[in-house]
PDB file of all heavy atoms in Angstrom:
ATOM      1  N   ARG A 100     -29.595 -31.769  -7.317  1.00 88.00           N
ATOM      2  CA  ARG A 100     -28.335 -31.029  -7.350  1.00 88.00           C
ATOM      3  C   ARG A 100     -27.561 -31.206  -8.647  1.00 88.00           C
ATOM      4  O   ARG A 100     -26.391 -30.879  -8.713  1.00 88.00           O
ATOM      5  CB  ARG A 100     -27.447 -31.463  -6.187  1.00 88.00           C
ATOM      6  CG  ARG A 100     -28.067 -31.128  -4.858  1.00 88.00           C
ATOM      7  CD  ARG A 100     -27.158 -31.405  -3.716  1.00 88.00           C
ATOM      8  NE  ARG A 100     -27.798 -30.908  -2.503  1.00 88.00           N
ATOM      9  CZ  ARG A 100     -27.400 -31.188  -1.284  1.00 88.00           C
ATOM     10  NH1 ARG A 100     -26.351 -31.940  -1.105  1.00 88.00           N
ATOM     11  NH2 ARG A 100     -28.033 -30.705  -0.249  1.00 88.00           N
ATOM     12  N   ILE A 101     -28.203 -31.727  -9.671  1.00 94.00           N
ATOM     13  CA  ILE A 101     -27.490 -32.019 -10.915  1.00 94.00           C
ATOM     14  C   ILE A 101     -28.006 -31.097 -12.013  1.00 94.00           C
ATOM     15  O   ILE A 101     -29.175 -31.166 -12.406  1.00 94.00           O
ATOM     16  CB  ILE A 101     -27.661 -33.496 -11.314  1.00 94.00           C
ATOM     17  CG1 ILE A 101     -27.178 -34.404 -10.174  1.00 94.00           C
ATOM     18  CG2 ILE A 101     -26.899 -33.784 -12.599  1.00 94.00           C
ATOM     19  CD1 ILE A 101     -27.439 -35.874 -10.398  1.00 94.00           C
ATOM     20  N   ALA A 102     -27.123 -30.253 -12.513  1.00 96.00           N
ATOM     21  CA  ALA A 102     -27.510 -29.297 -13.553  1.00 96.00           C
ATOM     22  C   ALA A 102     -27.716 -30.010 -14.886  1.00 96.00           C
ATOM     23  O   ALA A 102     -27.165 -31.082 -15.136  1.00 96.00           O
ATOM     24  CB  ALA A 102     -26.448 -28.212 -13.689  1.00 96.00           C
ATOM     25  N   ILE A 103     -28.522 -29.392 -15.735  1.00 98.00           N
ATOM     26  CA  ILE A 103     -28.770 -29.868 -17.094  1.00 98.00           C
ATOM     27  C   ILE A 103     -28.034 -28.931 -18.041  1.00 98.00           C
ATOM     28  O   ILE A 103     -28.109 -27.705 -17.891  1.00 98.00           O
ATOM     29  CB  ILE A 103     -30.283 -29.867 -17.390  1.00 98.00           C
ATOM     30  CG1 ILE A 103     -30.988 -30.901 -16.514  1.00 98.00           C
ATOM     31  CG2 ILE A 103     -30.554 -30.114 -18.877  1.00 98.00           C
ATOM     32  CD1 ILE A 103     -32.481 -30.719 -16.428  1.00 98.00           C
ATOM     33  N   HIS A 104     -27.315 -29.504 -19.018  1.00 98.00           N
ATOM     34  CA  HIS A 104     -26.588 -28.706 -19.993  1.00 98.00           C
ATOM     35  C   HIS A 104     -26.942 -29.166 -21.404  1.00 98.00           C
ATOM     36  O   HIS A 104     -26.897 -30.366 -21.684  1.00 98.00           O
ATOM     37  CB  HIS A 104     -25.071 -28.842 -19.813  1.00 98.00           C
ATOM     38  CG  HIS A 104     -24.576 -28.339 -18.498  1.00 98.00           C
ATOM     39  ND1 HIS A 104     -24.393 -29.159 -17.415  1.00 98.00           N
ATOM     40  CD2 HIS A 104     -24.235 -27.093 -18.106  1.00 98.00           C
ATOM     41  CE1 HIS A 104     -23.949 -28.443 -16.391  1.00 98.00           C
ATOM     42  NE2 HIS A 104     -23.845 -27.189 -16.779  1.00 98.00           N
ATOM     43  N   ILE A 105     -27.280 -28.230 -22.264  1.00 98.00           N
ATOM     44  CA  ILE A 105     -27.448 -28.487 -23.690  1.00 98.00           C
ATOM     45  C   ILE A 105     -26.432 -27.592 -24.396  1.00 98.00           C
ATOM     46  O   ILE A 105     -26.511 -26.368 -24.291  1.00 98.00           O
ATOM     47  CB  ILE A 105     -28.874 -28.173 -24.179  1.00 98.00           C
ATOM     48  CG1 ILE A 105     -29.904 -28.982 -23.392  1.00 98.00           C
ATOM     49  CG2 ILE A 105     -28.995 -28.443 -25.682  1.00 98.00           C
ATOM     50  CD1 ILE A 105     -31.344 -28.550 -23.630  1.00 98.00           C
ATOM     51  N   ARG A 106     -25.484 -28.214 -25.080  1.00 98.00           N
ATOM     52  CA  ARG A 106     -24.445 -27.447 -25.772  1.00 98.00           C
ATOM     53  C   ARG A 106     -24.771 -27.408 -27.249  1.00 98.00           C
ATOM     54  O   ARG A 106     -24.986 -28.451 -27.876  1.00 98.00           O
ATOM     55  CB  ARG A 106     -23.072 -28.065 -25.518  1.00 98.00           C
ATOM     56  CG  ARG A 106     -22.673 -27.985 -24.049  1.00 98.00           C
ATOM     57  CD  ARG A 106     -21.279 -28.523 -23.792  1.00 98.00           C
ATOM     58  NE  ARG A 106     -21.049 -28.560 -22.351  1.00 98.00           N
ATOM     59  CZ  ARG A 106     -21.298 -29.614 -21.584  1.00 98.00           C
ATOM     60  NH1 ARG A 106     -21.769 -30.718 -22.124  1.00 98.00           N
ATOM     61  NH2 ARG A 106     -21.080 -29.562 -20.284  1.00 98.00           N
ATOM     62  N   VAL A 107     -24.803 -26.209 -27.799  1.00 98.00           N
ATOM     63  CA  VAL A 107     -25.117 -26.015 -29.210  1.00 98.00           C
ATOM     64  C   VAL A 107     -23.960 -25.297 -29.882  1.00 98.00           C
ATOM     65  O   VAL A 107     -23.079 -24.745 -29.214  1.00 98.00           O
ATOM     66  CB  VAL A 107     -26.436 -25.226 -29.384  1.00 98.00           C
ATOM     67  CG1 VAL A 107     -27.604 -25.967 -28.730  1.00 98.00           C
ATOM     68  CG2 VAL A 107     -26.320 -23.819 -28.802  1.00 98.00           C
ATOM     69  N   ALA A 108     -23.966 -25.307 -31.208  1.00 96.00           N
ATOM     70  CA  ALA A 108     -22.883 -24.671 -31.982  1.00 96.00           C
ATOM     71  C   ALA A 108     -21.521 -25.106 -31.445  1.00 96.00           C
ATOM     72  O   ALA A 108     -20.645 -24.298 -31.199  1.00 96.00           O
ATOM     73  CB  ALA A 108     -23.032 -23.156 -31.966  1.00 96.00           C
ATOM     74  N   ALA A 109     -21.389 -26.424 -31.275  1.00 96.00           N
ATOM     75  CA  ALA A 109     -20.189 -26.976 -30.636  1.00 96.00           C
ATOM     76  C   ALA A 109     -19.294 -27.674 -31.653  1.00 96.00           C
ATOM     77  O   ALA A 109     -19.788 -28.325 -32.576  1.00 96.00           O
ATOM     78  CB  ALA A 109     -20.606 -27.968 -29.548  1.00 96.00           C
ATOM     79  N   ASP A 110     -17.969 -27.533 -31.453  1.00 92.00           N
ATOM     80  CA  ASP A 110     -17.016 -28.239 -32.309  1.00 92.00           C
ATOM     81  C   ASP A 110     -15.758 -28.648 -31.558  1.00 92.00           C
ATOM     82  O   ASP A 110     -14.765 -29.024 -32.167  1.00 92.00           O
ATOM     83  CB  ASP A 110     -16.640 -27.391 -33.523  1.00 92.00           C
ATOM     84  CG  ASP A 110     -15.628 -26.301 -33.187  1.00 92.00           C
ATOM     85  OD1 ASP A 110     -15.504 -25.951 -32.001  1.00 92.00           O
ATOM     86  OD2 ASP A 110     -14.948 -25.814 -34.104  1.00 92.00           O
ATOM     87  N   GLY A 111     -15.756 -28.588 -30.252  1.00 84.00           N
ATOM     88  CA  GLY A 111     -14.572 -28.909 -29.469  1.00 84.00           C
ATOM     89  C   GLY A 111     -13.801 -27.671 -29.052  1.00 84.00           C
ATOM     90  O   GLY A 111     -13.189 -27.644 -27.999  1.00 84.00           O
TER      91      GLY A 111
END
Side-chain angles (χ1 to χ4, degrees):
R100 296 186 174 167
I101 303 174
I103 294 163
H104 297 95
I105 303 169
R106 295 183 187 92
V107 300
D110 78 340

